[in-house]
Amino acid sequence: MPRFDLSLPELRSYAPEIREPEDFDAFWADTIGMAREAGGEVVLEPVDTALRTVDVFDVTFPGFSGEPVKAWLWMPRGIEGPLPAIVEYNGYGGGRGLPHERLAWASAGYAHLFMDTRGQGSAWGGGGATADPHGTGPSSPGFMTRGIDSPTTYYYRRVFTDAVRAVDAVRGIPDIDAARVAVAGGSQGGGIALAAAGLVPGLRAVLPDVPFLCHFERAVGLTDRDPYQEVARYLSVHRGATERVFDTLSYFDGANFAARVSAPSLFSVALQDLTCPPSTVFAAYNRVPVADKAIEVYDFNDHEGGGPYQWAAQAAFAASRV
């Protein structure tokens, strides 16, 4: 596959104008405030598994509007707390899966909460367990255009709120150090992690791996792959809706959240990634205002990026910061 985007020197200095609503901060302050006011209980239920080095809990926590969101929590066995924690978000279409699927962070000594993505979990992997009880207007198949008529009804308003409330939940769990929490995720999970990091103060690190949901206006016009093509298909039918759609998406653009990140940041990008084009990743990375940031570049990879190599880089980055 040939490279199709900007050259690496151009990417490192790429600073496009990003559509940003004047009420961006007020919108999210109101949204998160309402979710917290809705309250709800964090419930941890021990799970009997064949695993002998970690304890596993089936977690239910209150997300958007106090609605129940599922997660797995792994705690390394035999290590006294309070423990540092990694809150991780999933890729597009996947669910939280099964308790034995993700053991690396707990094996490295962290409490690890992996959030189910509401309404997803039926495209690949071990399945999801969290419904999205909200209706939607006309939309393209998938999640990218659900409720896209307005930022108040858009699907990712609920998902990003769930992500913030996942951090709130972890910070209240006994044996976890509330001051030592990081967020992570790949692809969609990377975009969600960026949103959480832009909305939650006091995180110790953010680890977005080949992040999705960044620089929508470039991505939708540059790649012919889903999920961004869901937006293009929608606009091909709803002619004349372009400004409205991109106005809505501007409230959810990872580049806008990146500009509000205050935690040390380790990104990754793949230069042959047709799902999340490199320029969209750099558009977000280059807006992160903290000095303590880095980006791993995988020259000849598509959306798989660094795979296990990137986790090793994340673990080394987190070890001195979380």
Side-chain angles (χ1 to χ4, degrees):
M1 179 195 307
R3 293 187 186 162
F4 66 99
D5 208 337
L6 303 174
S7 69
L8 186 55
E10 290 172 316
L11 291 168
R12 291 197 184 278
S13 61
Y14 184 56
E17 183 176 341
I18 302 291
R19 186 184 303 231
E20 182 175 315
E22 291 184 1
D23 66 340
F24 183 92
D25 294 312
F27 172 83
W28 281 108
D30 289 346
T31 296
I32 302 305
M34 286 188 292
R36 287 173 173 154
E37 287 174 7
E41 184 180 1
V42 179
V43 178
L44 279 69
E45 298 179 352
V47 179
D48 186 16
T49 72
L51 305 172
R52 295 292 174 262
T53 60
V54 298
D55 293 316
V56 184
F57 298 88
D58 184 349
V59 179
T60 307
F61 67 89
F64 179 84
S65 292
E67 295 158 358
V69 179
K70 301 295 290 184
W72 294 124
L73 174 66
W74 296 267
M75 301 281 281
R77 190 174 296 175
I79 300 178
E80 292 186 7
L83 296 171
I86 305 291
V87 178
E88 187 176 1
Y89 310 106
N90 207 3
Y92 195 79
R96 66 174 181 164
L98 301 175
H100 56 268
E101 290 188 69
R102 297 173 182 86
L103 302 177
W105 285 116
S107 297
Y110 298 87
H112 178 203
L113 184 127
F114 191 85
M115 186 186 87
D116 211 20
T117 311
R118 62 168 59 220
Q120 298 191 27
S122 298
W124 55 271
T130 303
D132 182 20
H134 297 264
T136 178
S139 59
S140 176
F143 304 93
M144 289 296 292
T145 62
R146 291 190 178 183
I148 204 165
D149 289 332
S150 165
T152 61
T153 58
Y154 190 49
Y155 170 75
Y156 280 101
R157 182 185 183 219
R158 302 187 290 279
V159 173
F160 290 177
T161 303
D162 294 345
V164 170
R165 296 292 282 146
V167 175
D168 291 346
V170 159
R171 284 176 163 172
I173 293 173
D175 296 324
I176 290 179
D177 187 343
R180 299 173 65 199
V181 178
V183 292
S187 191
Q188 174 187 251
I192 298 172
L194 266 179
L199 293 169
V200 179
L203 294 172
R204 297 295 286 269
V206 53
L207 309 169
D209 183 13
V210 291
F212 178 48
L213 305 169
C214 297
H215 197 1
F216 287 107
E217 290 182 77
R218 181 168 177 83
V220 169
L222 184 60
T223 179
D224 63 357
R225 280 192 190 172
D226 284 341
Y228 284 121
Q229 272 298 297
E230 292 175 25
V231 178
R233 284 194 295 272
Y234 178 92
L235 291 173
S236 75
V237 173
H238 297 274
R239 298 166 179 84
T242 301
E243 284 300 303
R244 170 177 58 78
V245 163
F246 285 116
D247 279 345
T248 291
L249 292 175
S250 68
Y251 287 86
F252 306 92
D253 196 318
N256 287 332
F257 290 109
R260 291 158 170 83
V261 167
S262 59
S265 306
L266 176 65
F267 283 60
S268 76
V269 65
L271 297 189
Q272 297 191 18
D273 188 346
L274 285 167
T275 302
C276 296
S279 56
T280 68
V281 176
F282 271 97
Y285 174 76
N286 288 338
R287 296 192 89 199
V288 173
V290 300
D292 187 4
K293 68 176 184 177
I295 185 165
E296 296 287 337
V297 177
Y298 297 98
D299 302 77
F300 294 98
N301 290 90
D302 196 342
H303 196 50
E304 78 282 359
Y309 294 88
Q310 183 60 20
W311 184 86
Q314 291 176 335
F317 189 86
S320 61
R321 295 167 176 84
V322 183

